[in-house]
């Protein structure tokens, strides 16, 4: 019995703006040796992130088919596709419907390249898809220069060290003669692999670091965005859910547009959930308009009710309500003057909201547009830190943090107070 030939395809695509100048990258990898067998990349003009990602998938599948056409013909080829686009993975796996008219013909084209039984799809985090991501960016860089990507320009393999010497072959989109020669060399390399075509089991790929851990699937990833500035922000006044509900200032609106552009370039946000307060809804609306998504309102993401302290500076609260402020600073159970919420009450509300949202958005990347206290609470709970850790975190207006929640209960803090998009 012939041993099935296995290949790994990693693919990515992106646009600088959504839509904007776009490109894709794809790499075919030998799963046993880790060798790069083929690369493909192309600048495709103005397109959306999703179109570019589908184009990358198509190029990767075609490259895999070209490497082992005989195995394809006799059903002995198995291709494992790995992408950081949850949308493409879920749609091609048949779990999500394809509604957008631009996606349907691309998905149909991808499905025709190889038999459905020969292809499996796996979502991977963006940091594990660096090779294809770099190829896509090289293609977009070439397009900006009025050129097309060439194999000689590739430095993508530098981002993804492999356990053996890398052989970079011409892309399937290159000149036919070069592509055929490259495919022939790759087929020869695969045929020379121990056990290839003999029915003998191939040696297992080496496991490194956490590779031996069980596959828990994609986490629910919350990208935590603090709203943009209001008139109260630069004056450092208490501004919670019990006050005047201010709108974004001119600076805040500019910050919202900047983060919207940054998140569009990143291309990973699949859902948007916002606090009901105006400053968050306005920030979320700017992002939603750029990404073409709807905003869901979640009351559990609202800011703390600061009671009688609303609108006051810290110094003013110290002067008027000194003993109450001292109690609040030393105990999570102490509430602000006048019936506001304690940190303990906020933590219970935020934890319940977290549990509800992680169940609803398992395996998805969701933007939560919220406030200082809910974000710090989520970070504190993720780290298992005590309540006083809240006072030791800096969280700027329009900053981005991120927490990933896995199916086994593990939590990973990915990012805290990133403001690079504002510079």
């Amino acid at each position: 019995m012939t041993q099935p030939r296995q290949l790994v395809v990693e693919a990515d695509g992106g646009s600088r703006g959504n839509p904007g100048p776009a490109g894709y990258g794809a790499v075919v990898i030998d799963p046993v040796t880790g060798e790069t067998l083929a690369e493909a990349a192309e600048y495709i003009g103005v397109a959306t992130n999703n179109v570019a990602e589908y184009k990358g998938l198509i190029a990767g599948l075609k490259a895999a088919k070209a490497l082992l056409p005989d195995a394809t013909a006799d059903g002995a080829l198995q291709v494992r596709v790995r992408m950081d686009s949850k949308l493409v993975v879920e749609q091609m796996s048949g779990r999500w419907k394809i509604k957008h008219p631009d996606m349907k013909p691309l998905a149909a084209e991808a499905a025709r390249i190889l038999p459905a039984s020969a292809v499996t799809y796996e979502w991977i985090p963006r940091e594990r898809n660096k090779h294809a991501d770099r190829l896509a960016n090289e293609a977009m860089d070439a397009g900006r220069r009025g050129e097309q990507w060439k194999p000689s320009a590739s430095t993508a393999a530098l981002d993804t060290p492999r356990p053996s010497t890398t052989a970079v072959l011409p892309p399937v989109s290159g000149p036919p003669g070069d592509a055929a020669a490259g495919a022939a060399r790759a087929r020869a390399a695969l045929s020379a692999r121990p056990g290839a075509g003999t029915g003998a089991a191939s040696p297992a790929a080496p496991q490194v670091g956490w590779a031996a851990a069980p596959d828990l699937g994609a986490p629910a990833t919350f990208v935590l965005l603090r709203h943009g500035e209001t008139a109260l922000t630069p004056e450092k006044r208490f501004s919670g859910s019990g006050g005047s509900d201010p709108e974004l200032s001119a600076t805040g609106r500019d910050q919202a547009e900047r983060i919207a552009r940054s998140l569009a370039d990143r291309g990973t946000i699949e859902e948007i959930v916002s606090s009901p307060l105006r400053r968050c809804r306005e920030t979320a609306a700017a992002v939603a308009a750029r990404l073409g998504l709807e905003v869901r309102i979640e009351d559990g993401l609202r800011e703390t009710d600061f009671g009688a302290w609303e609108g006051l500076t810290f110094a003013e609260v110290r002067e008027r309500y000194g003993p109450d402020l001292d109690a609040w600073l030393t105990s999570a159970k102490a509430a602000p003057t006048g019936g506001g919420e304690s940190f303990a009450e906020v933590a219970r509300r935020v934890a319940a909201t977290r549990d509800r949202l992680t169940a609803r958005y398992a395996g998805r990347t969701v933007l939560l547009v919220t406030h200082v206290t809910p974000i710090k609470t989520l970070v504190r709970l993720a780290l298992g830190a005590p309540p006083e850790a809240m006072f030791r975190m800096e969280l700027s207006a329009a900053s981005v943090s991120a927490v990933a929640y896995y199916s086994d209960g593990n939590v990973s803090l990915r990012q805290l107070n990133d403001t690079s998009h504002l510079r």
Side-chain angles (χ1 to χ4, degrees):
M1 178 178 178
T2 301
Q3 182 74 12
R5 302 288 185 86
Q6 298 183 355
L7 296 174
V8 170
V9 169
E10 293 178 356
D12 198 11
S15 65
R16 292 169 180 171
N18 197 21
Y24 67 74
V27 57
V28 184
I29 300 164
D30 183 331
V32 175
T33 67
E35 287 182 305
T36 295
L37 302 174
E39 290 180 327
E42 185 180 7
Y43 172 68
I44 59 174
V46 175
T48 64
N49 288 322
N50 291 337
V51 166
E53 287 162 346
Y54 263 109
K55 293 277 191 179
L57 169 63
I58 290 168
L61 291 174
K62 286 182 176 179
K65 182 177 182 179
L67 289 173
L68 293 172
D70 295 337
T72 303
D74 62 19
L77 176 62
Q78 292 292 316
V79 176
R80 182 181 178 190
V81 175
R82 301 192 299 211
M83 300 181 68
D84 61 53
S85 170
K86 187 71 172 177
L87 176 77
V88 175
V89 167
E90 294 297 316
Q91 287 182 344
M92 292 303 299
S93 298
R95 291 185 289 268
W96 292 1
K97 291 184 178 180
I98 304 172
K99 299 179 180 180
H100 199 287
D102 290 346
M103 303 297 108
K104 291 181 179 180
L106 294 172
E109 181 180 356
R112 288 193 298 267
I113 297 169
L114 292 170
S117 60
V119 187
T120 58
Y121 291 87
E122 174 191 355
W123 180 88
I124 58 174
R126 190 179 184 88
E127 59 267 22
R128 286 175 53 196
N129 203 25
K130 288 184 177 180
H131 194 145
D133 177 69
R134 175 65 71 84
L135 288 171
N137 277 286
E138 288 177 357
M140 286 184 277
D141 290 341
R144 186 175 56 192
R145 298 190 300 268
E147 304 170 356
Q148 273 294 353
W149 178 87
K150 299 178 180 178
S152 60
S154 175
T155 59
L158 298 177
D159 282 337
T160 313
R162 304 292 179 187
S164 61
T165 302
T166 298
V168 179
L169 304 182
V172 294
S173 56
D178 289 346
R185 291 198 298 274
R187 289 196 295 271
L190 286 168
S191 298
R193 199 172 71 197
T198 65
S202 300
Q207 294 181 330
V208 181
W210 293 347
D215 183 2
L216 301 175
T221 301
F222 291 168
V223 178
L224 308 172
L225 172 61
R226 185 189 171 193
H227 60 81
E229 284 190 12
T230 72
L232 302 181
T233 308
E235 298 179 5
K236 297 187 181 299
R237 295 183 179 274
F238 283 91
S239 181
S241 57
S244 61
D245 196 12
E247 65 182 357
L248 293 179
S249 64
T251 297
R253 289 191 292 273
D254 178 68
Q255 290 171 334
E257 289 298 329
R258 288 173 181 265
I259 186 60
R261 289 195 296 269
S262 176
L263 292 173
D265 288 342
R266 185 185 301 188
T268 57
I269 302 299
E270 298 171 277
E271 306 279 353
I272 301 177
V273 181
S274 173
S275 156
L277 299 184
R278 183 173 181 177
R279 52 198 181 271
C280 286
R281 287 188 286 108
E282 291 179 342
T283 303
V287 178
R290 179 76 62 162
L291 299 184
L293 297 174
E294 296 181 357
V295 178
R296 181 191 293 265
I297 300 301
E298 172 56 62
D299 186 66
L301 295 177
R302 70 184 186 277
E303 181 58 289
T304 305
D305 182 346
F306 290 113
W309 301 354
E310 294 280 358
L312 301 180
T313 65
F314 191 88
E316 289 169 341
V317 173
R318 167 69 69 193
E319 181 181 354
R320 301 180 195 183
Y321 309 104
D324 290 349
L325 181 62
D326 288 339
W328 183 72
L329 292 172
T330 55
S331 173
K333 296 181 179 179
T337 308
E341 288 180 288
S342 69
F343 280 154
E345 290 172 318
V346 174
R348 285 193 292 271
R349 163 164 61 85
V350 169
T353 302
R354 173 203 61 197
D355 293 346
R356 188 164 57 251
L357 294 180
T358 53
R360 180 186 300 162
Y361 297 115
R364 297 175 70 74
T365 299
V366 184
L367 180 70
L368 304 188
V369 186
T370 180
H371 309 263
V372 169
T373 310
I375 294 174
K376 287 186 175 182
T377 299
L378 288 168
V379 171
R380 178 182 76 77
L381 294 174
L383 296 175
E388 56 265 28
M390 300 274 287
F391 298 113
R392 299 172 186 170
M393 301 181 204
E394 178 69 23
L395 208 65
S396 304
S399 64
V400 172
S401 304
V403 182
Y405 299 88
Y406 290 88
S407 60
D408 66 346
N410 279 323
V411 186
S412 175
L413 177 64
R414 299 283 182 84
Q415 195 174 23
L416 181 65
N417 196 41
D418 179 16
T419 57
S420 59
H421 48 277
L422 301 179
R423 294 196 286 269

